[in-house]
Amino acid sequence: MLVRLDKFLADQNFGTRKHVKKIIRNHTITIDDKLIKDPDFKFNPELQRVFIDGELIEYQSHIYILLNKPEGYICSTIDESYPSVLNLIDAQYQKRARLVGRLDVDTTGVLLITDNGKLNNKLIHPNSGLEKEYLVTYNRNLNDTDLQILSSKIDLYDDGIVQAKKVEQVSLNQAKITITEGKYHQIKRMAKRAYLEVIKLDRIRLANLTYGDLKQGEYRFLTEEEIENLKSLVKMEEE
Ligand code: URA
């Protein structure tokens, strides 16, 4: 994959685009022994080596992991009563990895993990409109009033007003609910408004990502196409 020199340096934590342009101007940067002064110069960092003032820049591409989270794992590193979801991924990625949003300890399903901080921030931004679809199992059968309440605007008080994008009953006591907001315990708090209790919660989709054949606890890396899709969702295609 070809990348621009200024983007490459920004991704390798040399600073903002503006700052790396200065570095390119003021330092000796060589790629394949050629002096490069053009920030737009495109090259393949997997195959070509970049030196700044004679020093090799170790290339680390971003990681994008989709984990099918099992129950009993927390989306943080500081609780000692439960293991962290990060324990489920290879040790070499754990230090760099950041979670894209959080799932409760008893929630299962799609969890995205990346070290691309910019994409992460954009995805979790309240205005991103990122769709999250859950298969929700309730403690009792659903009636029309419940479905109407779950589909209406719900005031979460300190967390504002939310409204499911889609509510679809799939069995007597189960519904698929798509939300875009992602407030703390949102699906469970919405259920409470209908005097329902969530007994099982599985995130089956995040944007266009599903866990497919992954068993709980298993993960895979996103494809280039999936990464580009996520970036275009948050208008990062040019990055
Ligand atoms: N809503 C919840 O209540 N819990 C989750 O883990 C995710 C959404």
Side-chain angles (χ1 to χ4, degrees), residues 102-104 107 134 185-188 201:
R102 306 210 178 295
L103 292 175
D104 297 337
T107 301
Y134 294 87
H185 286 339
Q186 184 170 333
I187 295 288
K188 291 174 186 163
L201 188 55

Side-chain angles (χ1 to χ4, degrees), residues 69 75 102-108 132 134 136 179 182-191 198 201-203:
K69 178 192 173 295
C75 288
R102 306 210 178 295
L103 292 175
D104 297 337
V105 66
D106 52 354
T107 301
T108 55
K132 287 141 280 210
Y134 294 87
V136 194
I179 57 173
K183 302 285 185 192
Y184 180 66
H185 286 339
Q186 184 170 333
I187 295 288
K188 291 174 186 163
R189 288 159 81 192
M190 288 166 69
V198 173
L201 188 55
D202 188 32
R203 180 149 77 186

Side-chain angles (χ1 to χ4, degrees), residues 16-51:
T16 60
R17 275 310 165 82
K18 202 168 154 200
H19 185 69
V20 302
K21 283 197 167 93
K22 260 194 208 155
I23 298 180
I24 298 168
R25 243 192 341 265
N26 299 334
H27 292 258
T28 305
I29 301 193
T30 57
I31 300 176
D32 293 341
D33 294 330
K34 269 192 237 127
L35 179 69
I36 310 291
K37 283 286 167 201
D38 177 6
D40 291 337
F41 179 81
K42 286 205 171 89
F43 69 105
N44 184 343
E46 312 256 359
L47 305 174
Q48 295 170 282
R49 298 195 306 162
V50 182
F51 291 82

Side-chain angles (χ1 to χ4, degrees), residues 168-218:
E168 181 195 357
Q169 185 170 10
V170 291
S171 78
L172 289 175
N173 69 332
Q174 285 184 310
K176 282 184 182 171
I177 300 196
T178 303
I179 57 173
T180 54
E181 298 96 348
K183 302 285 185 192
Y184 180 66
H185 286 339
Q186 184 170 333
I187 295 288
K188 291 174 186 163
R189 288 159 81 192
M190 288 166 69
K192 277 208 178 114
R193 291 308 157 86
Y195 300 98
L196 287 160
E197 206 185 301
V198 173
I199 57 169
K200 209 160 180 292
L201 188 55
D202 188 32
R203 180 149 77 186
I204 54 177
R205 183 172 63 85
L206 182 71
N208 52 352
L209 302 170
T210 57
Y211 51 72
D213 292 335
L214 287 178
K215 295 195 178 70
Q216 287 181 7
E218 289 182 344

